[in-house]
Amino acid sequence: MRKTFRQYFRPTRDELVELWNGAFFSFDASVLLNVYGYSNETRDDLVGLIERNSERICLPHQFGLEYARNRNTVIVKQVNNYLKVEKDLENIKTVSIAPKREHPFLSRRALRAYALVQSELGANRKALEGMLSSDPYGEKLLTLFEDRVGAPPSAEDLSELHKRAAERYNTQVPPGYSDLKTKGAPDAYGDYVGWCQLMEIAKSKQKDMIFVIDDFKEDWWQIERERTVGPRPELLDEFARVTAQRIYMYTSENFLRAAREFLALDIREDVIQEVSQRLESQREKQRSMAVEFEKPPVEAQDKPSSPLKPDEAARSAADLPKMGTAEE
């Protein structure tokens, strides 16, 4: 029975061991872009894990393209996060700490520590800003994936993929249909294009896949009562039918945990916790966006009317037609 309905059940431990021993590792752009949101230590560990398995990695052209397109945007966003905190701390210092009129007062030692925090934030921000022109992590990723990125589709092939994506999205066939709410066509078709390219790699290489993705929407994951229970069964089934290979999906957090277990790697728990916290923040943002886009538009007739004054209310009541009785 398990073989017949394999897509509905988590792989056995023996199956996972087999996957981790022989499968290729592939990554969504969300995973590679999240590298810029981690501390230096966590960034080093995640990129190092990819590097240690460089002979087994591959990247669909679409996901590589999305990484290249969005890298600068993600770096600038992180720089702005630093700027905001630096500004907030400076305001607190200038308005609430520097004046000696009343409490709060800080010791010289505490003020030196405060200045040290500000200095470290500024140094980290400048290091991130420097990545816009010289990015050691980006260079390493580019080197690691050299000759491991799938071929770009021709204009005709891309047009056909977009057509098929539109047909699938109309009936909410995963992956990617959730992106129509926020991106619109043809940008929303990117997940489907990347998915097809991933299947093509597995088919041509005759390799199982471990796919790491930090996109938490329902068109990738089976979600029951806001709980993610695993990859969408439809995706596991389609992958097996098209490629005759197996696939299993992980978020970055679970990928690190599984790598620690199945590859016997020394991955610190604090690294995993940092990744977990970032992903949970992203998950909450996606939920909020989904709720916002699902709100029905407010029609003019649904808008609350201005309250009537007592005399206006009386006149309005008098203007109402008299309701006849059954006897009339």
Side-chain angles (χ1 to χ4, degrees):
M1 185 173 177
R2 175 180 288 275
K3 290 183 179 180
T4 304
F5 303 108
R6 184 185 300 274
Q7 67 269 28
Y8 293 100
F9 299 98
R10 177 181 170 83
T12 65
R13 178 172 177 77
D14 287 344
E15 289 172 331
L16 287 173
V17 168
E18 187 177 350
L19 276 171
W20 277 88
N21 283 338
F24 272 14
F25 300 121
S26 191
F27 305 87
D28 180 56
S30 58
V31 176
L32 304 181
L33 291 170
N34 268 342
V35 163
Y36 298 99
Y38 299 133
S39 65
N40 291 339
E41 295 80 6
T42 297
R43 188 185 301 131
D44 286 339
D45 281 5
L46 186 54
V47 175
L49 173 55
I50 297 174
E51 185 175 20
R52 283 193 294 273
N53 293 277
S54 59
E55 295 302 314
R56 299 172 58 188
I57 62 175
C58 64
L59 191 66
H61 181 271
Q62 177 67 28
F63 297 150
L65 177 64
E66 291 174 5
Y67 165 75
R69 281 177 173 171
N70 295 303
R71 186 186 67 89
N72 286 340
T73 301
V74 171
I75 292 174
V76 169
K77 178 183 177 182
Q78 301 305 321
V79 168
N80 287 339
N81 288 342
Y82 272 103
L83 287 171
K84 180 182 183 304
V85 175
E86 288 179 81
K87 181 179 179 181
D88 290 345
L89 289 179
E90 185 61 29
N91 285 341
I92 291 172
K93 180 180 178 180
T94 301
V95 176
S96 302
I97 296 177
K100 302 301 182 182
R101 299 184 297 270
E102 56 186 3
H103 288 283
F105 294 112
L106 289 179
S107 67
R108 292 179 180 177
R109 180 181 179 183
L111 287 173
R112 287 196 297 270
Y114 197 96
L116 182 62
V117 170
Q118 290 181 291
S119 176
E120 184 172 327
L121 286 170
N124 289 343
R125 169 178 51 80
K126 290 177 182 178
L128 267 175
E129 288 174 331
M131 289 185 187
L132 292 171
S133 56
S134 178
D135 179 5
Y137 297 99
E139 287 298 324
K140 181 166 285 188
L141 290 174
L142 291 176
T143 300
L144 290 173
F145 285 104
E146 190 70 38
D147 299 324
R148 296 184 176 277
V149 178
S154 66
E156 293 77 11
D157 288 342
L158 189 59
S159 177
E160 178 61 26
L161 286 169
H162 286 176
K163 179 181 177 181
R164 283 157 48 188
E167 294 171 350
R168 289 167 63 110
Y169 289 11
N170 284 337
T171 53
Q172 294 195 328
V173 177
Y177 63 79
S178 295
D179 285 339
L180 273 178
K181 301 174 184 177
T182 55
K183 296 181 180 179
D187 290 346
Y189 301 150
D191 278 0
Y192 175 67
V193 172
W195 173 248
C196 289
Q197 293 172 349
L198 184 66
M199 290 193 292
E200 182 58 34
I201 293 173
K203 185 177 180 180
S204 63
K205 300 292 186 182
Q206 296 185 338
K207 282 287 187 178
D208 296 330
M209 284 286 177
I210 288 176
F211 181 46
V212 190
I213 179 170
D214 288 340
D215 185 334
F216 308 103
K217 294 190 290 295
E218 65 172 26
D219 54 17
W220 283 107
W221 301 96
Q222 183 181 3
I223 301 174
E224 301 291 345
R225 297 181 182 272
E226 297 189 355
R227 182 182 178 87
T228 302
V229 298
R232 285 287 293 257
E234 302 97 312
L235 296 178
L236 302 183
D237 179 57
E238 181 179 28
F239 193 92
R241 285 188 289 102
V242 172
T243 70
Q245 304 295 326
R246 295 171 298 174
I247 187 173
Y248 202 66
M249 292 164 48
Y250 293 93
T251 63
S252 290
E253 175 190 356
N254 291 331
F255 179 65
L256 290 172
R257 293 188 186 279
R260 186 167 63 179
E261 177 180 0
F262 294 108
L263 298 180
L265 297 179
D266 183 20
I267 300 174
R268 303 190 317 274
E269 184 62 28
D270 62 309
V271 167
I272 295 177
Q273 288 303 316
E274 181 184 332
V275 173
S276 175
Q277 290 175 20
R278 175 169 176 78
L279 297 190
E280 182 57 34
S281 174
Q282 292 179 329
R283 187 180 286 109
E284 287 301 319
K285 288 180 182 178
Q286 284 194 351
R287 287 173 182 164
S288 298
M289 289 179 62
V291 169
E292 187 65 27
F293 276 94
E294 287 171 3
K295 288 181 180 179
V298 178
E299 300 295 339
Q301 63 269 25
D302 293 331
K303 294 180 180 179
S305 57
S306 300
L308 296 176
K309 296 178 180 179
D311 56 337
E312 292 174 335
R315 288 198 301 271
S316 297
D319 292 339
L320 290 174
K322 296 290 191 295
M323 301 298 293
T325 66
E327 293 178 348
E328 293 176 335

